């Protein structure tokens, strides 16, 4: 069957698609490079003219150009951030964008709780001869949210790689599409400092051959990737596909042979990186892009022995409560999949979750290990879930340790300049028994 006629009958201009948006509509697109360019721009034009109001765009990560992140359009076309990075941070901090607390594994379930979106729209790679589009480097929430929305609009972009996995949509599921070849957003390879490498080496020592790994966002997870050169038969099962994973696969350190699930394949929910990464993922049958409700599901992670998760944070208190998403009351990021992987590792035989950070911030003037979290800081990973905390001064294993033991272990990996002060505070809190 030839799907070209159906394709052509659904092909519209971005403006014609934007004309279908009604006031009060909830729009959603998958994360990062899935964000359409031409359709939101056309919707913003309508909002500026006063034709629509109270339209909300939802996504995990918003990228520029993001016309819905514009204080001038507040109340007309506005943004709800589900993981505050890139284009949305200023808007959330200044209060003209809102944010949605959620674990990434539960994003679709949260939509089920709040009511389904009116519109799902996304960037896809060009249609194949069977009538299928690939969501490319993003699987995450795409398939499940497209099924739930009243309308599905696509922006077909020849720059979106065609990736393998459960990340496809058929022309019969689409209400309208437009073609727009915007360059795919790239992020610079994270800078890795000497301190990050010191942390990375300590974590690498605790990763056995045959382990399956997940890396989060930031310099420390990247540093760990650079310290795994002597490992064998690693597997990858990760929310975010990172730059350092390419080297591990190309060098044969990752084989995925010892994973009981998706054996032989690298599994990721989405990728966000450089052109080199996007070329690597294009038509690469060893990579399976899978929904985040599967990848980040703690019960799935728990079925994989020796699962190792490495994420970063902003501060930790003496009980091991981890804040990864705010600086005091100032919202900075999101929970993403941090807790999903921490909980999954706790269920995995031999699993370990590492949350790592430099011991200090602000040029050494501030300890990131604190007696209590900064007032207003939110807890991302709770004290009952946390496993290992790592700084350049060592590794504190908290799971199975009492409050007093945790305080001692954490003070030992704080910067030496702050240890005495932390001990004094811990005593006042009756934590040093
Ligand atoms: N108090 C004040 N400022 C702090 C701070 C603290 N406790 N900790 C960090 N900062 C500052 C840093 O100095 C830096 O400022 P600069 O940009 O002016 O240099 C900035 O905050 C970012 O800190 P940094 O440690 O460099 O961040 P990172 O890029 O390594 O990312 C997280 C760390 C925690 C923000 C990131 O991993 C994240 O967003 N995590 C979310 C949860 C998660 O892990 N999800 C799973 C994977 S997606």
């Amino acid at each position: 069957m030839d799907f070209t006629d159906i394709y052509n009958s659904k092909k519209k201009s971005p403006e014609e698609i934007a004309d279908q948006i009604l006031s009060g509509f909830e729009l959603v697109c998958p994360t990062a490079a899935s964000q359409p360019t031409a359709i939101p721009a056309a919707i913003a034009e309508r909002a500026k003219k006063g034709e629509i109001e109270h339209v909300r765009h939802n996504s995990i990560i918003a990228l520029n150009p993001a016309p819905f992140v514009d204080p001038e359009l507040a109340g007309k076309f506005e943004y709800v951030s589900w993981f505050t990075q890139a284009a949305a941070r200023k808007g959330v901090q200044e209060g003209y964008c809102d944010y949605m607390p959620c674990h990434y594994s539960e994003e679709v379930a949260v939509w089920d709780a709040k009511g389904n979106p009116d519109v799902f729209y996304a960037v896809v790679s060009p249609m194949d001869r069977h009538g299928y589009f690939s969501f490319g480097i993003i699987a995450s929430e795409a398939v499940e949210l497209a099924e739930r929305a009243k309308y599905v609009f696509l922006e077909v972009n020849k720059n979106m790689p065609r990736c393998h996995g459960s990340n496809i949509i058929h022309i019969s599921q689409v209400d309208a599409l437009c073609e727009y070849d915007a360059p795919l957003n790239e992020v610079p390879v994270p800078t890795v400092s000497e301190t990050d490498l010191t942390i990375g080496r300590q974590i690498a020592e605790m990763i056995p051959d045959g382990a399956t790994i997940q890396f989060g966002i930031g310099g420390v997870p990247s540093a760990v990737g650079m310290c795994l050169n002597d490992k064998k038969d690693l597997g990858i099962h990760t929310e975010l596909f990172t730059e350092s994973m390419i080297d591990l696969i190309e060098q044969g350190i990752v084989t995925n042979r010892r994973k009981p699930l998706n054996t032989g394949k690298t599994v990721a929910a989405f990728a966000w990186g450089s052109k080199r990464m996007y070329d690597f993922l294009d038509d690469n049958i060893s990579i399976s892009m899978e929904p985040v409700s599967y990848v980040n599901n703690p019960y799935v992670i728990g079925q994989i022995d020796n699962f190792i998760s490495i994420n970063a944070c902003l501060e930790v208190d003496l009980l091991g409560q981890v804040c990864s998403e705010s600086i005091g009351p100032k919202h900075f990021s999101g929970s993403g999949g941090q807790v999903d992987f921490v909980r999954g590792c706790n269920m995995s035989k031999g699993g370990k979750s590492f949350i790592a950070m430099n011991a200090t911030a602000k040029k050494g003037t501030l300890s990131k290990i604190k007696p209590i979290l900064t007032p207003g800081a939110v807890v991302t990973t709770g004290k009952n879930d946390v496993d290992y905390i790592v700084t350049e001064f060592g590794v504190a294993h908290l799971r199975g340790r009492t409050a007093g033991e945790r305080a001692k272990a954490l003070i030992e990996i704080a910067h030496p300049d702050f240890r005495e002060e932390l001990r004094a505070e811990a005593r006042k809190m009756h934590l040093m028994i």
Side-chain angles (χ1 to χ4, degrees), residues 327-347:
I327 297 180
K330 198 201 272 186
H331 193 69
F332 189 78
S333 183
S335 306
Q338 184 172 111
V339 178
D340 300 329
F341 282 94
V342 168
R343 290 187 176 155
C345 286
N346 287 343
M347 293 179 210

Side-chain angles (χ1 to χ4, degrees), residues 83-85 89 104 196 214-221 239-240 270 310-315 323-328 332-339 341 356-358 360-363 366-368 370 374 380:
F83 184 80
T84 307
Q85 294 270 331
R89 192 170 276 153
Y104 202 5
D196 294 335
Q214 171 263 338
F215 291 160
I217 205 161
V220 172
E239 167 190 319
L240 173 68
F270 77 101
I310 299 138
N311 290 296
C313 71
L314 296 168
E315 62 179 34
C323 166
S324 309
E325 53 195 294
S326 75
I327 297 180
F332 189 78
S333 183
S335 306
Q338 184 172 111
V339 178
F341 282 94
M357 61 178 182
N358 292 191
T360 58
K362 303 274 169 221
K363 299 196 167 69
L366 180 152
S367 172
K368 293 173 74 160
K370 308 212 159 164
T374 306
T380 306

Side-chain angles (χ1 to χ4, degrees), residues 93-256:
Q93 289 177 352
E94 294 184 7
Y96 55 87
C97 298
D98 205 350
Y99 73 92
M100 179 67 76
C102 104
H103 298 302
Y104 202 5
S105 64
E106 295 182 351
E107 183 195 353
V108 174
V110 171
W111 275 103
D112 286 344
K114 89 185 218 69
N116 284 330
D118 298 290
V119 169
F120 168 89
Y121 57 164
V123 172
V124 289
S125 60
M127 187 177 80
D128 70 10
R129 64 196 166 90
H130 306 289
Y132 283 96
F133 304 87
S134 161
F135 287 111
I137 58 172
I138 316 285
S140 290
E141 57 284 87
V143 168
E144 288 157 290
L145 288 182
E147 274 165 7
R148 283 162 170 75
K150 287 188 208 128
Y151 301 98
V152 173
F153 302 135
L154 299 182
E155 211 168 279
V156 181
N157 183 337
K158 67 175 183 337
N159 298 315
M160 176 59 89
R162 188 177 165 74
C163 298
H164 295 258
S166 310
N167 60 342
I168 55 172
I169 186 164
H170 193 257
I171 183 71
S172 58
Q173 296 171 263
V174 178
D175 292 289
L177 58 90
C178 64
E179 292 173 352
Y180 193 77
D181 295 327
L184 278 202
N185 178 278
E186 292 177 42
V187 267
V189 179
T191 30
V192 171
S193 66
E194 236 351 277
T195 312
D196 294 335
L197 280 171
T198 306
I199 297 172
R201 281 190 280 269
Q202 298 178 84
I203 297 176
E205 272 174 28
M206 299 176 71
I207 300 180
D209 289 339
T212 293
I213 51 173
Q214 171 263 338
F215 291 160
I217 205 161
V220 172
S222 297
V224 179
M226 294 162 70
C227 300
L228 296 175
N229 294 348
D230 60 343
K231 304 291 173 190
K232 290 190 186 61
D233 275 333
L234 296 183
I236 294 177
H237 179 105
T238 189
E239 167 190 319
L240 173 68
F241 186 86
T242 65
E243 216 70 35
S244 58
M245 290 176 176
I246 303 175
D247 302 319
L248 294 173
I249 295 168
E250 288 188 336
Q251 289 162 12
I253 294 162
V254 165
T255 62
N256 291 303

Side-chain angles (χ1 to χ4, degrees), residues 290-313:
E290 296 295 330
V292 72
S293 58
Y294 168 76
V295 178
N296 282 30
N297 183 332
Y299 295 99
V300 170
I301 297 163
Q303 290 171 44
I304 305 173
D305 290 354
N306 297 313
F307 201 109
I308 306 288
S309 125
I310 299 138
N311 290 296
C313 71

